[in-house]
Amino acid sequence: MRHLIIGLLFSLSTGASVAKADTIQDILTCRSITAIDARLACFDAVADKIKTPPAVNASPDNAREEAKSSGQKLPQTFGLKEKEGERITQTVTGIKFGPAKQFMITTESGQVWLQSDTQKVKLPRKLPFTVTIERGAMGSYFLNASGQSTQYKARRLK
């Protein structure tokens, strides 16, 4: 019986639907039943609810399309979680250099990027300038200043 409870709780946490308070309450109610057959029937009823979640059309792609069609401004998530191979071009409005001679840039959209490799920096010193940031393999990002051939590995801080 303990394994059934653990299995139900695991399926709640990893399932496609979000666990509702009433479903959790149903599980707690089932735990309090002492008759074995009634207890099992109670857990089966809760499991049937979990197996058939309501149809929800809230994938990130659909949300983006709906936001675009309604004229809403989309959140700036590039660099936080995006697909491989995508790129953006931003205007740099601020640049600072750390003690290890690594740069930290701020873009016009408020994004903050920090150099994560140890290459010697050859970025333009005169602001503003544009950079292209492209997602690489395994969550890495590459930053390239316009008009230059050098790419720098970077990570987004904000």
Side-chain angles (χ1 to χ4, degrees):
M1 196 53 56
R2 177 190 270 173
H3 298 289
L4 181 60
I5 293 170
I6 292 171
L8 283 173
L9 291 176
F10 180 74
S11 66
L12 277 174
S13 66
T14 60
S17 66
V18 177
K20 294 183 180 178
D22 59 338
T23 305
I24 294 172
Q25 186 60 42
D26 291 343
I27 291 173
L28 295 175
T29 303
C30 292
R31 283 185 65 193
S32 65
I33 299 173
T34 56
I36 295 172
D37 291 336
R39 185 176 176 137
L40 181 58
C42 182
F43 278 117
D44 286 342
V46 173
D48 287 340
K49 273 197 225 178
I50 295 169
K51 278 186 183 177
T52 56
V56 177
N57 192 9
S59 71
D61 293 333
N62 290 337
R64 284 175 191 247
E65 292 304 318
E66 289 174 16
K68 282 180 185 176
S69 65
S70 68
Q72 294 176 344
K73 188 170 182 173
L74 296 174
Q76 291 274 338
T77 59
F78 186 87
L80 300 177
K81 48 187 172 184
E82 286 289 330
K83 298 175 184 170
E84 183 175 335
E86 291 186 2
R87 70 174 60 186
I88 61 170
T89 301
Q90 294 281 312
T91 302
V92 175
T93 57
I95 186 167
K96 295 180 184 176
F97 290 90
K101 307 262 192 272
Q102 294 174 318
F103 64 81
M104 182 170 58
I105 61 168
T106 304
T107 66
E108 65 186 351
S109 65
Q111 295 180 1
V112 178
W113 292 84
L114 176 68
Q115 180 184 4
S116 59
D117 61 13
T118 56
Q119 286 189 42
K120 185 175 180 182
V121 179
K122 296 178 185 174
L123 291 176
R125 303 285 188 212
K126 187 174 179 184
L127 294 175
F129 62 91
T130 59
V131 293
T132 302
I133 304 168
E134 182 175 4
R135 173 130 192 214
M138 299 174 56
S140 62
Y141 292 90
F142 295 97
L143 185 138
N144 185 352
S146 60
Q148 295 186 350
S149 60
T150 306
Q151 279 191 328
Y152 303 100
K153 196 171 183 181
R155 63 184 169 100
R156 183 171 173 185
L157 299 178
K158 177 179 167 191

